[in-house]
Amino acid sequence: MRTSIATVSLSGTLTEKLAAAARAGFDGVEIFENDLIGSPLSPEEIGERAADLGLTIDLFQPMRDIEAVPADEFARNLRRAEHKFRLMRRLGADTVLVCSSVSPYAVDDDDLAAEQLRRLADLAQEAGVRVAYEALAWGRHVSTYEHAWRIVEAADHPALGVCLDSFHILARGSDVTGIESIPGDKIFFLQLADAPQMALDVLQWSRHHRCFPGQGDLDVAGLVRAAVRAGYDGPLSLEVFNDVFRQADAGRTAVDARRSLTLLHESAGLTAPPAPVVPTGFAFVEIATADTARIAPLLTALGFSRTARHAGKPVDLWEQGEARILLNTDTGSHRPEPSLTAVGLESPDPAGASARAESLLAPVLPRRRAPGDAPLDAVAAPDGTEFFFCVTGRPAPSEGEATDSSGFAGSPVRAGWTGDFAPAPHTPAPIGITRVDHVALTQPWHHFDEATLFHRGVLGLRPHASVDLADPYGLLRSRAASNEDGTVRIALGVGASPTEDPARGGRPQHVALVTDDLVTTVRRALAAGARMLPVPPNYYDDLAAHHEFAPGELETYRDLGILYDRDEKGEFRHCYTVTTGRVFFELVERSGGYDGYGARNAPVRLAAQHALAE
Ligand SMILES: O=C(O)c1ccc(O)c(O)c1
Ligand SMILES: [Mg+2]
């Protein structure tokens, strides 16, 4: 279906908003009156600008407090409407949105509302425009779509229909199946917005916390399906009032919005992008550092060995079990401190994953690869982290196929990305780490919703509930996304962080590593010289109040700085290294199907990191 976006959803001047919407691939826009009033361009010039950009003006809005008012008030409203209808002709907009009245003069009289809307529609018809009546969830007497439709049906005028807005409908918990009994040609417009579930006054909720479909908790796709079944064939238009988007870069927001609509088309059973490809594990985590000496000793103490070096680039592969870390010293001058720059995801279909990413407007990265390297498909996430779709340990090609000088088969059938690496002599000294558990990526505060949608839509992960974690200097919001069996887990965090140091390039990220026996692994790490994060004794007093431990168990945890959590399924033991540059490591032991991340311990960890950074 055609796509549209309300100018209120984007930041900037009207011309900036139009340009951003067009660049992101929208077909049309809803023009908010305030954007027009504040523009130096005449209505004709705005219409021309939109047309030059290939955008239609699908809606002009809003007109307020029109209906069910005393006669003298209504006469003034008609005068105002006449003026606006002329403006719409100059602009080239043929539909106007009329919100249900919030006026103190409005009376609870459906017959009067229908009669006055009919007279408004007469005037609109003369001016060659149509009126779409929308029930605001906080309308004085009309606050549901069913009620708005009863009035429109009674008015029975060809230039009068309803505007359905998913926020107003779903925020009130209305049943959307009633939409199917509205004739499709009387649904003049469909506005779409999602929102996180909040126990908030509905007006405040609507004006500040709307988000793009797929970023909140409302079933926007179900509503779209109902409207399509009713026969609606107009644009799917995003109308998102959001404090963050009002400040963010309009170009980026428009791309995020357009991605949301593509995913909405998919979940509503309309057109679908290439199918999602769910990753099946971590292939590698890449840390960039100008100087490997900054991080190599820690990796060694954690039991990693440098097993291979890239044939053509200054990149070392460090391995232990199935945990693989790339140390990349090709950082340029802007990233001297160790930082987490890329994640390799095991993909059953890298080309398919890349095709989906591209159709969802994810920035597909230039290959920057030498001829002969294994092809790697990669995209940039909203925080700049590069995600590679790869296959590790692809079976060696059969006898007789061409091999290159390194002994590996030539492209395209070669041993996956590891085929680009030449083995390095090493003596393994593992300490029990088996694989990567999760990667924690801190997000720029104004890209959190975008990042959630990206990880779900582009990477094929399922987002979990968002949790708020107390930090001595603020609140950290964290939201994990994972595949079904938990072999890929990414924790997205945003908010103040005690160890944030802009001079070092931002907040720390971390890599969590799995061990089946944390106590033994930590002892070995400490013996090998790893510096672990000290945990205050008060934490263990508190732990003793909450749980019973075997004799000596709690003391062991206290000695080693191990944190503990339990859920209905199992137990979680974890601890942290100190931070190096922008990176630290977590060691985790999950047992019995524990599915969380130790959220209750996060405030202690954040405080401990802060204490150390002082
Ligand atoms: O918040 C408002 O006033 C408002 C205005 C126009 C809309 O379409 C809407 O959904 C809300
Ligand atoms: Mg609306």
Side-chain angles (χ1 to χ4, degrees), residues 77-402:
N77 291 350
L78 281 186
R79 180 182 165 278
R80 176 157 57 97
E82 242 181 317
H83 207 89
K84 296 301 170 192
F85 293 161
R86 273 200 303 275
L87 167 71
M88 287 171 62
R89 292 297 298 262
R90 295 173 62 197
L91 189 61
D94 69 358
T95 307
V96 64
L97 181 143
V98 170
C99 301
S100 62
S101 182
V102 297
S103 164
Y105 302 116
V107 293
D108 189 8
D109 181 341
D110 286 1
D111 291 340
L112 182 62
E115 187 210 311
Q116 292 184 339
L117 285 174
R118 190 184 310 123
R119 286 182 57 196
L120 180 76
D122 272 338
L123 206 62
Q125 197 169 31
E126 279 169 32
V129 300
R130 351 181 271 170
V131 172
Y133 183 53
E134 172 190 53
L136 294 180
W138 56 90
R140 186 165 156 90
H141 301 295
V142 177
S143 57
T144 66
Y145 78 90
E146 294 99 328
H147 195 174
W149 165 236
R150 279 200 303 279
I151 292 170
V152 166
E153 192 176 25
D156 191 23
H157 194 291
L160 180 68
V162 289
C163 168
L164 301 179
D165 179 319
S166 67
F167 178 85
H168 297 298
I169 295 170
L170 299 171
R172 294 187 57 100
S174 296
D175 179 3
V176 300
T177 53
I179 291 173
E180 294 176 40
S181 51
I182 304 175
D185 62 357
K186 293 304 271 185
I187 304 175
F188 279 7
F189 210 71
L190 184 56
Q191 294 180 315
L192 302 171
D194 200 344
Q197 247 348 306
M198 296 173 119
L200 204 67
D201 166 73
V202 72
L203 187 149
Q204 300 300 332
W205 188 17
S206 175
R207 294 251 174 100
H208 302 281
H209 301 285
R210 288 189 184 206
C211 54
F212 295 120
Q215 296 177 343
D217 299 317
L218 305 180
D219 181 15
V220 184
L223 185 142
V224 170
R225 277 194 294 271
V228 169
R229 274 200 288 270
Y232 176 75
D233 64 358
L236 299 184
S237 188
L238 297 169
E239 188 202 33
V240 169
F241 304 85
N242 180 294
D243 296 358
V244 175
F245 298 155
R246 280 180 192 276
Q247 305 171 55
D249 174 73
R252 260 185 97 137
T253 307
V255 167
D256 184 28
R258 190 63 190 78
R259 175 178 304 141
S260 148
L261 268 190
T262 301
L263 291 166
L264 185 67
H265 274 85
E266 178 177 56
S267 43
L270 305 167
T271 49
V277 180
V278 180
T280 53
F282 286 104
F284 63 81
V285 176
E286 180 172 301
I287 294 169
T289 176
D291 176 9
T292 50
R294 295 276 283 117
I295 195 125
L298 180 56
L299 285 182
T300 303
L302 290 176
F304 283 83
S305 302
R306 195 181 73 99
T307 58
R309 188 172 177 88
H310 194 276
K313 286 187 287 190
V315 180
D316 288 335
L317 171 60
W318 291 67
E319 291 186 87
Q320 181 175 190
E322 295 288 304
R324 300 175 202 91
I325 292 171
L326 298 181
L327 281 195
N328 186 348
T329 51
D330 185 17
T331 63
S333 56
H334 62 290
R335 256 188 198 134
E337 293 284 348
S339 57
L340 211 159
T341 49
V343 174
L345 295 174
E346 294 286 357
S347 175
D349 176 11
S354 187
R356 179 173 173 87
E358 199 160 0
S359 76
L360 289 168
L361 308 175
V364 174
L365 298 169
R367 291 260 164 83
R368 289 187 288 111
R369 302 183 63 75
D373 282 358
L376 273 184
D377 297 284
V379 294
D383 66 353
T385 304
E386 298 178 0
F387 280 90
F388 288 82
F389 304 120
C390 27
V391 178
T392 305
R394 179 177 283 171
S398 54
E399 288 289 316
E401 280 185 64

